[in-house]
Amino acid sequence: MNLNAPPASASAGPNAAVERHLLDTVATDPAAASPAEIMHAVAQVAREHLSRRWVATDRADRAARARRVYYLSMEFLIGRTLSNALAAVGLTGEMAAAAKAHANTLEDLTATEADAALGNGGLGRLAACFLDSMATVELPSYGYGIRYEFGMFKQSIVGGRQVEHPDPWLEDGTPWEFPRTGVSYPVRFGGWVEPGAHGSSGSIWRHAGEVNAKAYDMVIPGHGTPRVSTLRLWKAAAPSQIDLHAFNTGDYARAAEFKNQYENISWVLYPNDSTPAGRELRLRQEYFFTSASIQDILARHLAEHGRLTNLAEKVAIHLNDTHPAIGVAELMRLLVDEHAFGWAGAWALTQKVFSYTNHTLMPEALETWPVSLMQHVLPRHLEIIFRINSEFLAAAAKLRPGDNEFMRSLSLIEERGERRVRMAHLSIVGSHKVNGVSALHSELLVQTIFANFAALWPERFTNMTNGVTPRRWLAQANTGLASLIDSTIGDGWRLHLDQLIGLREHAANADFRNAFLAVKQANKLRLAEHIRAHTGVPVDATSLFDVQVKRIHEYKRQLLNVLQVVARYQAMLADPDADWVPRTVIFAGKAASSYVSAKAVIQLIHDVGTVINTDARLRGRLKLVFVPNYGVSVAEVIMPGADLSEQISTAGTEASGTGNMKLALNGALTIGTDDGANVEIRQQVGDDNIFIFGLSTAQVAAQRAAGYQPLRIYEENPRLKAVLDAIAGGRFSEDEPGRYRALVDSLLWGGDHYMLLADFDSYVAAQSRVDALYRDPQAWARKAIANVAGMGFFSSDRTIREYARDVWGLAAKA
Ligand SMILES: *Cc1c(COP(=O)(O)O)cnc(C)c1O
């Protein structure tokens, strides 16, 4: 059949299609449908188009026996789908008309969709941007992950404290998934290993338990192309014989317990960010989705090619961080134990198939698993890892005979203390390419934590600077700026973000600058309304909107920002009649449930905000707010309304950042350290259009080596001392004066690991330069426009084209 023909309903007009779905799919009276019901019907119209595109893409790729990339990621932070899907299939205008026919706007409808929050933060959002770009640049591609029943927790604030609520995003059903009832694989755990047939490399794994992985697909539309990509998510289901047996004996409670024991694998996302979870269920999750994905990949390959010897010619598997690293051992197991490969042949294929992205330099964030736990959960995989390790170390020893420190640093097994498997080392040894996510991060990888691997294999290490999709983060989130850009340089930037450079010359045009400022003002009004509705605090939309939105983490230094706000507050009280630039400081972000100091920072923001926001002496010229429940949809409201983007991590700690890119793309100026992708943003927009402050990575290292003394900085800096004394002394927590003593002590006496005090003065000075510029709106607009114009490099399309060419061996659409 002709898959390019539109679905039958399309010819009868858009509203007719919506009405038909209200009646036939949602089963409601079209005349009395709620916004949520209309949303579902509109989604069904888009779904009809997407399912055809999926079938056509799959048919084409099978016919071509295409080489494909498989992107394995524990997290995909997708957000809402409707607006993006409508834009991709070209139905935005028609569906807006259909919404209007039902006395709604498209925004009313899209607001009823739950976010798919299957991720924590940057890593998961990167995976979502990559899917969008893989489809758009027409790569034959699949994302693979877990269909968590509960995504990232929802955050509310009670008495200034974070409260976590479950996120049952599938509760009302989602129109976007396609259950693939025929696609299911067994995933096994536990038991023991017996030797295989004499003369073979294989073993027999006598497993103790088994769970089924069932496939649910989400179609990822490409933009400017009918091609799509697939996100295949696995749900855990107890094998049916287990259910049956307990039911037959009449023990229903035990049957349910059994079922839960298996199905809990895909129940909930671990809400940790930048710290490994370390629990057995997490290891089971990692193996569960990795095993199912690799079995699926091999099944597809066998269906198309009938043999596995050419696997590396057709399959590229990418590891998004080490969470799927067990896949290296799993592919070896499948080839050797189940497909009769010899060890050497299997290993050669495995190394060609895998590639790995590292996301962090911080040693405490690198994933390791106790050998004893792995022995218990995955005994055969542990055996395989030991063999990989001994062959690898034997080869490395030839290079530096007798150098035990060299060998210890390379080993897949950490031998000090409890023996542990180092998942990053397994990923490096099992891959042909390893990359960092910004130029600085990739450089530091080969200079620090992976230096000895880089000495062995310099050609294996490379850089792929992150990016963001311009479709969601500009076209969809900021329709005002998108139309202004369209009418100035045309609409080609959606697919070729480099074209934004054409805006540079318009910065000199006063009419353009005023139009740009008017768009920003409208976005700030919308953000101000969101703030009022969700915090109760009224804010002045003509004030400078100073935004720090990201996960709450010590290395990201939200606390440094609070110190700066308190310093400003004290300075304003000391000189209330000075000509202060009005500012609204806006925070948002979630703290991991067990992260005590991150939660203390959230409470401090609220406590300081309560004092500042009600101090009449300030005459409204300083406000401090915390927007609850940061996630993709909240980000889509905040980013377009930001004037200033806070990217203030300690130099050398933020691998890349992508929030920095989204904010600059929406016309915010960055105040930041020379860290992660800030370095490249600075190069792209120019030194004059960004506020860089603080120690460099090299200076951080030098200060640490020389013996960093935070107490001394405190004693020598009266402004900083006044800030810390006020916080520690209970000025903002009069109901409990000692509430922040420990937080302040961690800076003064606990070593101030992230060196807030060292950067404080330089940060405050940079903030003064920000104020000075904001006094001159035209000068500010010139620089903000230069930021938008310079963001072409940070499209995830560019990133994905680089991966396709240099890592995956795939041809992307130009
Ligand atoms: C972009 C994004 C992030 C990453 O932000 P960083 O500032 O790079 O840490 C996290 N969460 C959400 C919802 C995002 O959209």
Side-chain angles (χ1 to χ4, degrees), residues 711-723 757 760-761:
L711 259 183
R712 197 158 153 189
I713 301 176
Y714 164 83
E715 295 294 355
E716 289 173 358
N717 185 332
R719 181 169 54 185
L720 174 59
K721 184 169 186 306
V723 168
L757 305 200
F760 177 80
D761 260 348

PDB file of all heavy atoms in Angstrom, residues 711-723 757 760-761:
ATOM      1  N   LEU A 711      39.090  29.290  55.396  1.00  0.00           N
ATOM      2  CA  LEU A 711      38.961  30.137  56.592  1.00  0.00           C
ATOM      3  C   LEU A 711      39.683  31.460  56.427  1.00  0.00           C
ATOM      4  O   LEU A 711      39.240  32.507  56.886  1.00  0.00           O
ATOM      5  CB  LEU A 711      39.550  29.410  57.803  1.00  0.00           C
ATOM      6  CG  LEU A 711      38.569  28.737  58.750  1.00  0.00           C
ATOM      7  CD1 LEU A 711      39.322  28.125  59.915  1.00  0.00           C
ATOM      8  CD2 LEU A 711      37.525  29.733  59.259  1.00  0.00           C
ATOM      9  N   ARG A 712      40.820  31.379  55.762  1.00  0.00           N
ATOM     10  CA  ARG A 712      41.603  32.586  55.560  1.00  0.00           C
ATOM     11  C   ARG A 712      40.857  33.585  54.661  1.00  0.00           C
ATOM     12  O   ARG A 712      40.848  34.791  54.923  1.00  0.00           O
ATOM     13  CB  ARG A 712      42.929  32.170  54.922  1.00  0.00           C
ATOM     14  CG  ARG A 712      43.928  33.228  55.039  1.00  0.00           C
ATOM     15  CD  ARG A 712      45.309  32.668  54.922  1.00  0.00           C
ATOM     16  NE  ARG A 712      46.117  33.766  54.411  1.00  0.00           N
ATOM     17  CZ  ARG A 712      47.345  33.662  54.014  1.00  0.00           C
ATOM     18  NH1 ARG A 712      47.936  32.473  54.068  1.00  0.00           N
ATOM     19  NH2 ARG A 712      48.000  34.698  53.566  1.00  0.00           N
ATOM     20  N   ILE A 713      40.225  33.066  53.627  1.00  0.00           N
ATOM     21  CA  ILE A 713      39.439  33.947  52.746  1.00  0.00           C
ATOM     22  C   ILE A 713      38.317  34.600  53.541  1.00  0.00           C
ATOM     23  O   ILE A 713      38.056  35.806  53.427  1.00  0.00           O
ATOM     24  CB  ILE A 713      38.875  33.137  51.554  1.00  0.00           C
ATOM     25  CG1 ILE A 713      40.011  32.501  50.757  1.00  0.00           C
ATOM     26  CG2 ILE A 713      37.997  34.022  50.668  1.00  0.00           C
ATOM     27  CD1 ILE A 713      39.554  31.607  49.623  1.00  0.00           C
ATOM     28  N   TYR A 714      37.683  33.806  54.377  1.00  0.00           N
ATOM     29  CA  TYR A 714      36.589  34.313  55.220  1.00  0.00           C
ATOM     30  C   TYR A 714      37.087  35.437  56.135  1.00  0.00           C
ATOM     31  O   TYR A 714      36.470  36.502  56.223  1.00  0.00           O
ATOM     32  CB  TYR A 714      36.039  33.125  56.024  1.00  0.00           C
ATOM     33  CG  TYR A 714      35.169  33.422  57.207  1.00  0.00           C
ATOM     34  CD1 TYR A 714      33.803  33.688  57.037  1.00  0.00           C
ATOM     35  CD2 TYR A 714      35.684  33.390  58.508  1.00  0.00           C
ATOM     36  CE1 TYR A 714      32.989  33.914  58.137  1.00  0.00           C
ATOM     37  CE2 TYR A 714      34.877  33.613  59.609  1.00  0.00           C
ATOM     38  CZ  TYR A 714      33.536  33.878  59.430  1.00  0.00           C
ATOM     39  OH  TYR A 714      32.737  34.099  60.512  1.00  0.00           O
ATOM     40  N   GLU A 715      38.214  35.207  56.764  1.00  0.00           N
ATOM     41  CA  GLU A 715      38.721  36.209  57.697  1.00  0.00           C
ATOM     42  C   GLU A 715      39.141  37.491  56.982  1.00  0.00           C
ATOM     43  O   GLU A 715      39.010  38.584  57.535  1.00  0.00           O
ATOM     44  CB  GLU A 715      39.934  35.654  58.476  1.00  0.00           C
ATOM     45  CG  GLU A 715      39.616  34.485  59.406  1.00  0.00           C
ATOM     46  CD  GLU A 715      38.694  34.874  60.577  1.00  0.00           C
ATOM     47  OE1 GLU A 715      38.375  36.067  60.725  1.00  0.00           O
ATOM     48  OE2 GLU A 715      38.281  33.959  61.320  1.00  0.00           O
ATOM     49  N   GLU A 716      39.614  37.353  55.768  1.00  0.00           N
ATOM     50  CA  GLU A 716      40.158  38.525  55.073  1.00  0.00           C
ATOM     51  C   GLU A 716      39.129  39.272  54.241  1.00  0.00           C
ATOM     52  O   GLU A 716      39.440  40.283  53.625  1.00  0.00           O
ATOM     53  CB  GLU A 716      41.334  38.083  54.170  1.00  0.00           C
ATOM     54  CG  GLU A 716      42.552  37.682  54.987  1.00  0.00           C
ATOM     55  CD  GLU A 716      43.659  37.072  54.144  1.00  0.00           C
ATOM     56  OE1 GLU A 716      43.461  36.920  52.910  1.00  0.00           O
ATOM     57  OE2 GLU A 716      44.705  36.739  54.715  1.00  0.00           O
ATOM     58  N   ASN A 717      37.891  38.757  54.203  1.00  0.00           N
ATOM     59  CA  ASN A 717      36.905  39.352  53.302  1.00  0.00           C
ATOM     60  C   ASN A 717      35.644  39.720  54.091  1.00  0.00           C
ATOM     61  O   ASN A 717      34.766  38.889  54.308  1.00  0.00           O
ATOM     62  CB  ASN A 717      36.584  38.329  52.193  1.00  0.00           C
ATOM     63  CG  ASN A 717      35.660  38.887  51.148  1.00  0.00           C
ATOM     64  OD1 ASN A 717      34.853  39.788  51.435  1.00  0.00           O
ATOM     65  ND2 ASN A 717      35.753  38.358  49.945  1.00  0.00           N
ATOM     66  N   PRO A 718      35.552  40.987  54.538  1.00  0.00           N
ATOM     67  CA  PRO A 718      34.442  41.385  55.414  1.00  0.00           C
ATOM     68  C   PRO A 718      33.059  41.182  54.773  1.00  0.00           C
ATOM     69  O   PRO A 718      32.109  40.825  55.460  1.00  0.00           O
ATOM     70  CB  PRO A 718      34.694  42.875  55.669  1.00  0.00           C
ATOM     71  CG  PRO A 718      35.979  43.227  55.016  1.00  0.00           C
ATOM     72  CD  PRO A 718      36.504  42.063  54.253  1.00  0.00           C
ATOM     73  N   ARG A 719      32.976  41.401  53.472  1.00  0.00           N
ATOM     74  CA  ARG A 719      31.671  41.252  52.814  1.00  0.00           C
ATOM     75  C   ARG A 719      31.214  39.787  52.863  1.00  0.00           C
ATOM     76  O   ARG A 719      30.073  39.472  53.194  1.00  0.00           O
ATOM     77  CB  ARG A 719      31.783  41.725  51.364  1.00  0.00           C
ATOM     78  CG  ARG A 719      30.476  41.637  50.594  1.00  0.00           C
ATOM     79  CD  ARG A 719      30.563  42.341  49.272  1.00  0.00           C
ATOM     80  NE  ARG A 719      31.710  41.855  48.482  1.00  0.00           N
ATOM     81  CZ  ARG A 719      32.077  42.376  47.310  1.00  0.00           C
ATOM     82  NH1 ARG A 719      31.415  43.402  46.806  1.00  0.00           N
ATOM     83  NH2 ARG A 719      33.106  41.887  46.663  1.00  0.00           N
ATOM     84  N   LEU A 720      32.143  38.897  52.552  1.00  0.00           N
ATOM     85  CA  LEU A 720      31.833  37.464  52.579  1.00  0.00           C
ATOM     86  C   LEU A 720      31.551  37.008  54.014  1.00  0.00           C
ATOM     87  O   LEU A 720      30.627  36.225  54.276  1.00  0.00           O
ATOM     88  CB  LEU A 720      33.015  36.687  51.990  1.00  0.00           C
ATOM     89  CG  LEU A 720      32.952  35.159  52.051  1.00  0.00           C
ATOM     90  CD1 LEU A 720      31.725  34.638  51.309  1.00  0.00           C
ATOM     91  CD2 LEU A 720      34.217  34.565  51.432  1.00  0.00           C
ATOM     92  N   LYS A 721      32.337  37.524  54.944  1.00  0.00           N
ATOM     93  CA  LYS A 721      32.167  37.153  56.352  1.00  0.00           C
ATOM     94  C   LYS A 721      30.773  37.555  56.840  1.00  0.00           C
ATOM     95  O   LYS A 721      30.080  36.778  57.513  1.00  0.00           O
ATOM     96  CB  LYS A 721      33.243  37.840  57.201  1.00  0.00           C
ATOM     97  CG  LYS A 721      33.244  37.457  58.662  1.00  0.00           C
ATOM     98  CD  LYS A 721      34.512  37.973  59.353  1.00  0.00           C
ATOM     99  CE  LYS A 721      34.628  37.487  60.795  1.00  0.00           C
ATOM    100  NZ  LYS A 721      33.458  37.786  61.628  1.00  0.00           N
ATOM    101  N   ALA A 722      30.338  38.745  56.446  1.00  0.00           N
ATOM    102  CA  ALA A 722      29.010  39.208  56.876  1.00  0.00           C
ATOM    103  C   ALA A 722      27.910  38.290  56.326  1.00  0.00           C
ATOM    104  O   ALA A 722      26.930  37.994  57.013  1.00  0.00           O
ATOM    105  CB  ALA A 722      28.786  40.648  56.403  1.00  0.00           C
ATOM    106  N   VAL A 723      28.091  37.842  55.107  1.00  0.00           N
ATOM    107  CA  VAL A 723      27.095  36.952  54.487  1.00  0.00           C
ATOM    108  C   VAL A 723      27.038  35.624  55.242  1.00  0.00           C
ATOM    109  O   VAL A 723      25.965  35.158  55.653  1.00  0.00           O
ATOM    110  CB  VAL A 723      27.449  36.709  53.001  1.00  0.00           C
ATOM    111  CG1 VAL A 723      26.612  35.577  52.427  1.00  0.00           C
ATOM    112  CG2 VAL A 723      27.267  37.992  52.193  1.00  0.00           C
ATOM    113  N   LEU A 757      34.239  29.934  48.259  1.00  0.00           N
ATOM    114  CA  LEU A 757      34.809  31.150  48.830  1.00  0.00           C
ATOM    115  C   LEU A 757      35.892  31.734  47.919  1.00  0.00           C
ATOM    116  O   LEU A 757      36.008  32.952  47.790  1.00  0.00           O
ATOM    117  CB  LEU A 757      35.369  30.873  50.232  1.00  0.00           C
ATOM    118  CG  LEU A 757      34.406  30.242  51.246  1.00  0.00           C
ATOM    119  CD1 LEU A 757      34.920  30.481  52.664  1.00  0.00           C
ATOM    120  CD2 LEU A 757      32.987  30.735  51.115  1.00  0.00           C
ATOM    121  N   PHE A 760      34.115  33.751  45.238  1.00  0.00           N
ATOM    122  CA  PHE A 760      33.049  34.684  45.631  1.00  0.00           C
ATOM    123  C   PHE A 760      33.280  36.114  45.136  1.00  0.00           C
ATOM    124  O   PHE A 760      32.399  36.714  44.503  1.00  0.00           O
ATOM    125  CB  PHE A 760      32.889  34.672  47.165  1.00  0.00           C
ATOM    126  CG  PHE A 760      31.875  35.648  47.684  1.00  0.00           C
ATOM    127  CD1 PHE A 760      30.525  35.363  47.647  1.00  0.00           C
ATOM    128  CD2 PHE A 760      32.284  36.880  48.202  1.00  0.00           C
ATOM    129  CE1 PHE A 760      29.578  36.265  48.116  1.00  0.00           C
ATOM    130  CE2 PHE A 760      31.340  37.792  48.674  1.00  0.00           C
ATOM    131  CZ  PHE A 760      29.993  37.483  48.631  1.00  0.00           C
ATOM    132  N   ASP A 761      34.452  36.656  45.382  1.00  0.00           N
ATOM    133  CA  ASP A 761      34.694  38.061  45.017  1.00  0.00           C
ATOM    134  C   ASP A 761      34.599  38.286  43.519  1.00  0.00           C
ATOM    135  O   ASP A 761      33.989  39.256  43.046  1.00  0.00           O
ATOM    136  CB  ASP A 761      36.081  38.497  45.511  1.00  0.00           C
ATOM    137  CG  ASP A 761      35.973  39.294  46.809  1.00  0.00           C
ATOM    138  OD1 ASP A 761      34.836  39.686  47.155  1.00  0.00           O
ATOM    139  OD2 ASP A 761      37.014  39.516  47.455  1.00  0.00           O
TER     140      ASP A 761
END
